[in-house]
Amino acid sequence: MLSQIRHRNIVKLHRFCFHHRCMCFVYEYMERGSLFYALNMDDEEAKELSWSKRVVIISGTTNGLSYMHHDCFLPIVHKDVTNNNILLNSELHVVVSDFGTARLLDPDSSNQTLQVGTYRYLAQELAHTMTVTEKCDVYSFGVVALETLMGGTQES
């Protein structure tokens, strides 16, 4: 799945290797690290994130998630959209990363799951229905957008 995704707001997978019990993935390097780090850990970087740059970050995240939900052969639900999984390069270009819990939405299946993402970002209906839809990512994205506009959170 990851090797077939091509979008400017999705982290690029350069290489992967499966060997016995070891898996290795090599992704593009994002110099500034996570959005969480930019918002919370470095005062200089946080000050550099003007209102317009924060809007661009939110827009890039939206573009990546929209691609996953609408433009992939089978829609992909990320299931763990957090400010730790939004990465920035030196020019504040945004990519969505960490598809560890991602799920392909098969229209012929129930899309039920026991795996969940980060608690603070989970849609409340997911806890009750355990049914994965794009709406779960939209809720999580809303939390990320609010944190980005408000200046972050002190929790990880």
Side-chain angles (χ1 to χ4, degrees):
M1 170 181 72
L2 286 176
S3 64
Q4 296 175 3
I5 294 177
R6 297 283 184 260
H7 189 273
R8 66 187 196 98
N9 295 110
I10 304 288
V11 70
K12 288 180 182 71
L13 175 65
H14 290 295
R15 300 275 188 268
F16 63 92
C17 176
F18 297 112
H19 182 63
H20 299 289
R21 287 178 257 158
C22 179
M23 290 185 283
C24 181
F25 296 90
V26 178
Y27 294 100
E28 72 181 302
Y29 179 66
M30 302 302 285
E31 296 89 349
R32 295 222 177 164
S34 71
L35 178 58
F36 175 84
Y37 179 81
L39 292 171
N40 295 293
M41 300 302 190
D42 188 344
D43 288 337
E44 286 302 313
E45 271 195 54
K47 288 177 187 174
E48 184 185 340
L49 293 178
S50 65
W51 180 260
S52 61
K53 289 178 182 176
R54 291 172 192 250
V55 170
V56 168
I57 289 168
I58 292 168
S59 177
T61 305
T62 303
N63 291 336
L65 291 173
S66 177
Y67 173 82
M68 291 171 59
H69 293 171
H70 303 291
D71 297 329
C72 290
F73 175 69
L74 286 176
I76 301 169
V77 176
H78 188 288
K79 288 179 47 182
D80 196 21
V81 178
T82 69
N83 58 17
N84 278 313
N85 294 332
I86 308 300
L87 303 180
L88 307 170
N89 72 4
S90 61
E91 298 163 0
L92 294 177
H93 173 75
V94 177
V95 295
V96 178
S97 71
D98 194 2
F99 295 84
T101 59
R103 182 177 183 106
L104 295 173
L105 285 187
D106 183 352
D108 299 327
S109 74
S110 68
N111 295 316
Q112 297 235 327
T113 185
L114 295 176
Q115 295 177 340
V116 293
T118 305
Y119 179 74
R120 186 174 74 244
Y121 297 86
L122 288 178
Q124 294 177 0
E125 65 268 14
L126 180 61
H128 297 293
T129 65
M130 298 305 288
T131 302
V132 177
T133 68
E134 293 97 334
K135 293 176 184 177
C136 301
D137 282 352
V138 172
Y139 180 92
S140 300
F141 165 75
V143 175
V144 169
L146 283 173
E147 288 177 350
T148 303
L149 293 174
M150 301 292 291
T153 177
Q154 294 305 311
E155 299 176 48
S156 60

